[in-house]
């Protein structure tokens, strides 16, 4: 019998991504014993009337990848 593979998904605009996003995500991943944690960037925040994005779509998608590449559990 295979053990379940536990996956977590954290969504947000990450505009820009910072330690306040990463630290809680890693803490929860550890507490829930996740095998994988994915960050799902959302381009347009549903709760904001005016759209004032700091980062581009490309950097919003690439930055979490670069951050995760250097992290180990």
């Amino acid at each position: 019998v295979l053990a379940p593979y536990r996956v977590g998904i954290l969504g947000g605009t990450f505009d820009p991504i910072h330690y306040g996003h990463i630290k809680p995500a890693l803490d929860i991943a550890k507490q829930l014993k996740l095998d994988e944690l994915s960050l799902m960037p959302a381009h347009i925040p549903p709760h904001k009337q005016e759209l004032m994005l700091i980062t581009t779509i490309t950097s919003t998608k690439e930055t979490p990848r670069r951050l995760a590449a250097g992290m180990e559990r």
Side-chain angles (χ1 to χ4, degrees):
V1 176
L2 294 175
Y5 189 77
R6 299 172 59 89
V7 177
I9 300 171
L10 173 64
T13 55
F14 307 119
D15 189 27
I17 194 163
H18 54 80
Y19 189 70
H21 298 120
I22 300 299
K23 176 69 169 123
L26 293 175
D27 289 346
I28 293 296
K30 184 176 180 179
Q31 188 175 35
L32 296 177
K33 298 178 179 144
L34 299 179
D35 297 301
E36 180 180 325
L37 173 64
S38 293
L39 301 179
M40 184 183 337
H43 176 59
I44 300 173
H47 61 284
K48 293 189 179 178
Q49 298 281 334
E50 295 180 29
L51 186 59
M52 292 178 49
L53 299 175
I54 296 169
T55 57
T56 65
I57 296 170
T58 303
S59 66
T60 302
K61 286 177 11 185
E62 290 303 318
T63 303
R65 278 193 196 112
R66 280 187 251 129
L67 285 169
M71 295 182 161
E72 293 198 23
R73 292 191 184 199

